[in-house]
């Protein structure tokens, strides 16, 4: 039987990390095996919670990092380590 994917706490943390790194809800959602629309529904459902605030902070920090060339070089990379 097929079990639909769920927004577990671990998946939420991974999504927020990916959102910070990519600045893209669509890309971050795909990275955790969820759809962008599902991510937006979750955010609406959790409005005013730490998840909602962390979402905003991730996008703000991503934008700040992109605006600062030095910060961009120091930003965590999504590539695998060797």
């Amino acid at each position: 039987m097929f079990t639909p994917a769920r927004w577990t706490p671990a998946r939420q943390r991974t999504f927020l990390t990916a959102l910070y790194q990519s600045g893209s809800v669509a890309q971050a959602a795909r990275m955790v095996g969820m759809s962008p629309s599902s991510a937006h529904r979750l955010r609406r459902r959790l409005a005013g919670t730490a998840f909602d605030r962390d979402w905003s902070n991730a996008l703000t920090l991503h934008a700040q990092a992109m605006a600062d060339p030095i910060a961009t070089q120091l930003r965590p990379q999504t590539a695998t380590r060797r």
Side-chain angles (χ1 to χ4, degrees):
M1 182 166 77
F2 174 75
T3 304
R6 303 260 185 226
W7 280 102
T8 62
R11 185 170 272 145
Q12 290 176 33
R13 285 188 301 274
T14 303
F15 168 82
L16 291 168
T17 300
L19 185 60
Y20 161 68
Q21 292 172 340
S22 69
S24 166
V25 172
Q27 186 176 347
R30 282 192 303 271
M31 290 178 70
V32 298
M34 303 298 281
S35 70
S37 61
S38 174
H40 285 288
R41 279 193 305 272
L42 177 67
R43 186 178 189 196
R44 282 191 302 273
R45 193 170 68 242
L46 298 178
T49 67
F51 179 81
D52 183 32
R53 288 186 301 273
D54 290 346
W55 178 311
S56 293
N57 289 337
L59 291 176
T60 298
L61 291 171
H62 175 80
Q64 289 172 350
M66 294 298 100
D68 183 347
I70 294 173
T72 301
Q73 294 172 359
L74 300 175
R75 206 177 95 212
Q77 301 298 310
T78 57
T80 58
R81 293 182 181 174
R82 294 179 193 197

